[in-house]
Amino acid sequence: MKVSKINLFFRKFGEAQIKHRKLCLFILIAWTLICISGMRNFRTESSNSDWIVNGSEIKKNSDHFKEVFGNDQYVLVLVQADDVFAPDVLNMIDRLGERLETEVPFADKVTSLTTISIPIGDEEGFEVKSPFDDGIPSDPQELAEKKAFIMSRESIVNNLVSDTAKECWLSLKLNPFKNESEDVTAVGHAAEKVIMSDEFKSDRWTLMPIGSAYTTAEKTDVITKDFVSRIGLGFLVMLICLIIFVRSVSGVIVPFIATIFSIATVLGFTGLINVPADSDMMSLPVLLGMALSIGYALHYINAFKMHFRQTGKRKESVIEAVGESGWPILFTVITTAVSLLSFLFANIRPMIWLGAVASCVVIMVYIYVVILIPIFLSYGKDRAPAKFETKGATKADLVFENIGKKIVKRSKLVTIISVLVIALCIPGLLKMEVNMDYLKFMGNKVPFIQRIEKVLETKLGNIYSYDVMIEFDEEDAFKNPENMFALDKLEQDLGKLQLTKITNGKPRVRSITRMVKEMYRVFNGDNPSFYKIPEEQDMLTQLLFFYEISDSEALFDELSESYNAAYAHVEISDFNANKIVEDITAAELAAKKYFPTAHISVVGTVAENAAMNETVVKSELKSFGASFVMIAILLIIVFSSIRTGLITMIPNIAPVLLIGAVMGYSHMPLDEMTMMIMPMILGIAVDDTIHFSNHIKAKLENGKSYADAVTESFREIGKTMGTTTFILCAMFLMYCFSPITAMFRIGLLSIIGLGSALIADYTLTPALIYLTKPLDKKTKRRANS
């Protein structure tokens, strides 16, 4: 593929573009207005379940669990006081529960000290009800008796209330959502309004709300605020970079306009086709579009300036700039877009959205730049050509030419050092670990994460859990004592797993067995020795019947209405991806041992995160593999040589390996955000390689030697390569100021990847090209002659 012929095609394109510049502007404006009209339908959403592959086993199990037992999302409030049984504290808990039930959308029921259902003995035997059904007593002795009774219940202490009576939970169960992303945010905001109202502020107690519904709303607010900050800073950096590096009115205004309208066009188009944006990912394509807009514009502007200094003829210089830069810029757009489209292979909604939108932003940025920059530069007067010693080169250009000469001279040493650096990266790459820890993802600079960490330090505090669901085909299976005994034994085994949380020597595992034991104890004169499961089926059936007629809602929270399904709820002390997978595997094996004929499934937040860990690894491999293969194929096609294509890929693998090494050596986890860095950096990093290699090939076709082709390419585009990379790094630097740890990691790793890619293109790329001379024989003979 002759570069000179391609450049000639783009030169003719530039001529036509300048000739019909008004028509081009009209078409672009019309397209922009159509797409931007979709912004009124633009909306965002984000859900943890989006990261689980549709049709996966965990997805099916989670959906089935919700069908049987209802929504698994709650709003939780940890109440701390000197004594949570103090009358004013109990009254506050009661009022708070009532307001949450009436004011929070999708509220089902509240469980707290004032509403908890407990088997209580009476003249007829017992009934299941709340000790405070008749209100909170004003008589201290009566209140003390109720407190003593509640604190004597083994199933409640260190589950609902701490053994010190200084902490207790208030739990609001939620009904199933219609639209999880939108509804969970509405629930969280409504709950926050109630919990943080003046009515519940006091120095006599402390309220610490958590729960997936509550913290998801807080997370959305933090990410939205952070998005606005990053984009605001990004536009400021963009403006500063344009003023510093372009130093012309049109050169500043046009990229700015191109960025705004290209991003608005893409997001508006998603509104037209009713595709919601992912709120967690939205800042990435926006910042990427801003950075690439400047980069593409600079290549045109710098090429134009060089020719304008030589000739003084404006339109002719614009046409020459289009002819010289049009093809390498287009090809970099293709490789970057292809790399981002590799996210589609992941089959995960947020990554599919990011890949599609980011690649569209890249393409639209290119369209706006390639149309607007030449047109705006063509307006103005000609002037007398400037006098330069070396074809319009500036002092900075000559500095880069000298660097090129040194690289050629020491090409073997450069290659050896590069190979050693790559070799040092490999052990670190092997140390990379996947960890989808929610707290570490957000980081403790975020206020609500600080609160969650304080909750986790308490006796009752917990945020991570999973459920082991056991389901029989036949009804009334759990009226059989053998199955209840098996469930009790399963709880004991689950309590011995490495991550199961222990409070005062008691594992935080619960199921319907605890209430069965409480009822059997009360049925036998409240004798503690009867806190166990009855051996007779008639007795078990009778206890469950009493429970159903007393509080069917509470019963069917933990047991299916047909008595064929139950679950054990396990709270864990820490989020460690590898250990969680081990525990869940052990839990499944234990359940299958005790219930060989039942259907076993593990569901819940932790189970989903464990599934996400596996998904992340597979998706990362698919995305990066697809990106690597597609870019390699494109390079092979454009250079008409397998050898040349593969050689030019080597410098672009180096920054990806370095990113992996940094993550491995620094124990930085691979999560839903960092997994996107490698394919993205590969797509961006190859841009400079394409520009550089294309220039070298063009010089060789004009009869230059390899040494001259390399050094002249350094002189002509070395500065532009450095400038565009600097701007990209400056944009991603904005992430480094984010309080969200995941965003900081994106910024840091992107800067490391882009910076190392530039160094590789300044050193390894020219060294390899000079040493291997990877061109066709005809060109090689001419270049060596």
Side-chain angles (χ1 to χ4, degrees), residues 630-647:
M630 288 188 292
I631 291 175
I633 291 172
L634 286 171
L635 289 172
I636 290 170
I637 292 172
V638 78
F639 289 114
S640 304
S641 166
I642 295 176
R643 186 177 175 222
T644 305
L646 295 179
I647 286 173

Side-chain angles (χ1 to χ4, degrees), residues 54-87:
N54 286 328
S56 66
E57 194 68 24
I58 185 66
K59 183 82 170 175
K60 293 177 182 177
N61 292 338
S62 295
D63 291 342
H64 181 61
F65 183 89
K66 292 176 183 178
E67 289 175 4
V68 177
F69 296 107
N71 200 343
D72 59 351
Q73 296 213 45
Y74 293 80
V75 172
L76 303 168
V77 184
L78 183 69
V79 181
Q80 292 180 311
D82 291 337
D83 182 3
V84 295
F85 287 94

Side-chain angles (χ1 to χ4, degrees), residues 505-538:
K506 182 181 176 182
R508 299 283 288 275
V509 183
R510 69 175 190 271
S511 73
I512 188 63
T513 60
R514 63 174 183 160
M515 189 55 68
V516 171
K517 293 176 184 178
E518 290 286 6
M519 289 189 293
Y520 194 44
R521 171 181 171 175
V522 173
F523 192 80
N524 288 277
D526 208 29
N527 186 340
S529 64
F530 282 89
Y531 184 76
K532 61 183 181 180
I533 296 168
E535 296 180 359
E536 304 83 6
Q537 183 164 349
D538 289 343

Side-chain angles (χ1 to χ4, degrees), residues 87 90 131-132 134-140 142-144 146:
L90 287 174
F132 298 106
D134 299 325
I136 298 163
S138 56
D139 179 26
E142 185 182 354
L143 182 60
K146 290 182 182 294

Side-chain angles (χ1 to χ4, degrees), residues 116-120 127-131 149-150 153 156 515:
I116 182 68
S117 296
I118 307 174
I120 299 174
E127 62 178 331
V128 181
K129 68 175 187 178
S130 168
F149 174 74
I150 291 173
R153 302 299 97 177
I156 295 176
M515 189 55 68

Side-chain angles (χ1 to χ4, degrees), residues 257-277:
I257 293 173
T259 301
I260 293 172
F261 284 119
S262 60
I263 294 168
T265 297
V266 174
L267 296 182
F269 189 76
T270 63
L272 284 176
I273 61 175
N274 198 32
V275 174

